[in-house]
Amino acid sequence: MTYTEIPVQGTFSEKECLWFLNRGFDDCIYRVFTDKIRRAFKFEDELTLVDIIPMPDKICLAWLTGIPSKKCETYVSDFLGGWFDLDIDLGAFYRLLNANKKLAYMTESYKGLRFIGIPDIFEALGWAIIGQQINLKFAYLLKRRLVEQYGDFIIYQGEKYFLFPSPEVIARAEVSDLRALQLSGKKAEYLLSASNFIKDGNLSREILLDQPDLASRLKYLTDLRGIGPWTANYVLMKSLKERSCVPYADAGLRNALVKHQIICYKNKPAAINEFFSSFEGWESYLAFYLWRSLAPMTDEQIVSLIAK
DNA sequence: TCCCAGGGCATCA
DNA sequence: TGATGCCATGGG
């Protein structure tokens, strides 16, 4: 077996990252085991399957399907840097959290949780379109159908490991094909439109990074049909690691803010904006930690922690 | 049965 | 420019 080690700087919790990836949603593009994640990658024409073993000070990669080319190894290592946000020091963010009585518990409860991204721009965009306005369980089911229909895969020990489909492949589908997977007509149109836009070279990481600022990147995305403020913010925070994104209108985010008694009513964008303004430069992380807070503890536990 | 879900668009006043 | 209705379907 061939191994690669990626060093990790700063506070990093392998348990928190594994927990986030294994929230019970049955994501079809990786498998989570007790201490590792198994995922397929494709670099140019090279398909490979990797066990990713996160540890407190490094991430160890075990190449299950043979020795990778140097370029493929670099690609996967870079991908993991984006997936687990390895180049970040959480100190300043934790200082902001600690200054807030209601959220200070997060610096201990979620200590070392890195922002789990979606490095591939088309995967982030496609997933955001699929997930708009439907419950997450159904969204993951739709994603699985799409991936199993159109994605490449690698077989290892009798099991298939899929990759998210390329925009070129999706662009060849018809609305009726996607409707057959139970996407709504509009989502099918939006997904095809995004696929064609990327296929034709009108959208890429580089193009977005070339925009002068966050507002310009948001506008570039929201000019696309089917991409509103929520989707644009979501894609930029997940894919480009933009630090100052607030996914307004996100139901989970609103619920988390209500749960922490930060806003009184479920739908008050101005109140959300005001609260996030005190986390300048860390808005994306704040949203991510608030999402993290939704599942693991009961309301009583949170109230109890806040009261301490 | 009803409301909500990690929204966005078209329409209308 | 802001409010409202609609899309589309599963989950609770």
Side-chain angles (χ1 to χ4, degrees):
Chain A
M1 185 78 71
T2 306
Y3 295 94
T4 301
E5 287 188 356
I6 306 171
V8 178
Q9 308 296 328
T11 310
F12 177 68
S13 167
E14 75 281 12
K15 289 188 179 66
E16 274 297 315
C17 294
L18 282 166
W19 177 89
F20 191 86
L21 290 169
N22 194 27
R23 289 171 297 159
F25 286 121
D26 185 33
D27 199 315
C28 57
I29 52 167
Y30 56 81
R31 275 187 66 187
V32 181
F33 298 83
T34 310
D35 59 348
K36 67 186 179 188
I37 307 131
R38 183 169 293 168
R39 180 170 183 156
F41 294 91
K42 187 176 185 183
F43 177 73
E44 295 175 348
D45 288 329
E46 187 174 348
L47 267 169
T48 186
L49 187 69
V50 186
D51 270 349
I52 301 149
I53 307 148
M55 302 176 188
D57 60 342
K58 65 185 173 190
I59 290 182
C60 187
L61 308 183
W63 302 88
L64 301 175
T65 47
I67 301 170
S69 69
K70 200 67 198 168
K71 282 184 175 177
C72 181
E73 183 185 27
T74 302
Y75 165 77
V76 173
S77 298
D78 289 348
F79 185 97
L80 289 173
W83 196 13
F84 293 107
D85 201 15
L86 297 180
D87 301 322
I88 192 84
D89 179 349
L90 296 173
F93 177 50
Y94 281 12
R95 282 192 287 281
L96 289 172
L97 283 176
N98 275 323
N100 185 298
K101 265 181 76 175
K102 293 174 178 173
L103 301 182
Y105 78 92
M106 291 179 165
T107 61
E108 283 305 317
S109 296
Y110 312 147
K111 188 176 183 180
L113 172 65
R114 301 293 178 96
F115 190 102
I116 305 295
I118 305 176
D120 182 83
I121 192 95
F122 179 60
E123 184 182 333
L125 193 51
W127 170 234
I129 290 169
I130 291 170
Q132 289 171 5
Q133 187 54 23
I134 55 176
N135 68 73
L136 272 181
K137 202 167 179 179
F138 184 50
Y140 277 100
L141 175 64
L142 292 181
K143 178 179 172 184
R144 176 174 286 281
R145 288 178 182 159
L146 185 82
V147 167
E148 292 185 351
Q149 179 79 34
Y150 296 103
D152 275 338
F153 60 85
I154 187 167
I155 296 177
Y156 180 75
Q157 295 182 340
E159 295 221 24
K160 283 183 179 176
Y161 293 87
F162 284 91
L163 292 116
F164 198 81
S166 68
E168 290 77 15
V169 170
I170 298 291
R172 287 199 290 270
E174 304 283 342
V175 167
S176 58
D177 298 327
L178 301 180
R179 287 283 293 126
L181 306 179
Q182 275 188 290
L183 269 80
S184 69
K186 283 191 176 163
K187 284 190 183 182
E189 288 174 20
Y190 300 160
L191 189 57
L192 289 178
S193 155
S195 304
N196 279 294
F197 204 62
I198 292 178
K199 175 180 76 80
D200 295 338
N202 295 315
L203 176 62
S204 64
R205 296 180 66 85
E206 292 68 31
I207 288 174
L208 287 172
L209 289 169
D210 276 348
Q211 306 301 310
D213 52 29
L214 175 58
S216 309
R217 289 176 193 135
L218 287 168
K219 183 169 186 324
Y220 195 90
L221 286 172
T222 53
D223 280 349
L224 265 171
R225 190 172 151 73
I227 310 301
W230 178 84
T231 308
N233 276 288
Y234 184 87
V235 168
L236 289 177
M237 67 199 287
K238 282 292 208 178
S239 193
L240 262 61
K241 294 197 284 183
E242 281 279 5
R243 303 297 182 196
S244 294
C245 289
V246 184
Y248 298 102
D250 182 279
L253 184 63
R254 286 200 311 264
N255 290 342
L257 290 167
V258 170
K259 197 172 178 176
H260 285 83
Q261 301 166 15
I262 289 166
I263 60 173
C264 298
Y265 303 99
K266 273 192 158 187
N267 196 4
K268 268 198 159 183
I272 294 174
N273 209 22
E274 187 187 340
F275 181 71
F276 270 74
S277 67
S278 59
F279 283 82
E280 191 181 351
W282 293 96
E283 292 91 336
S284 304
Y285 253 92
L286 177 59
F288 186 70
Y289 270 53
L290 285 166
W291 281 330
R292 168 65 179 86
S293 75
L294 284 172
M297 290 192 289
T298 63
D299 291 10
E300 289 73 18
Q301 284 173 313
I302 286 192
V303 169
S304 156
L305 278 163
I306 291 169
K308 279 182 185 173

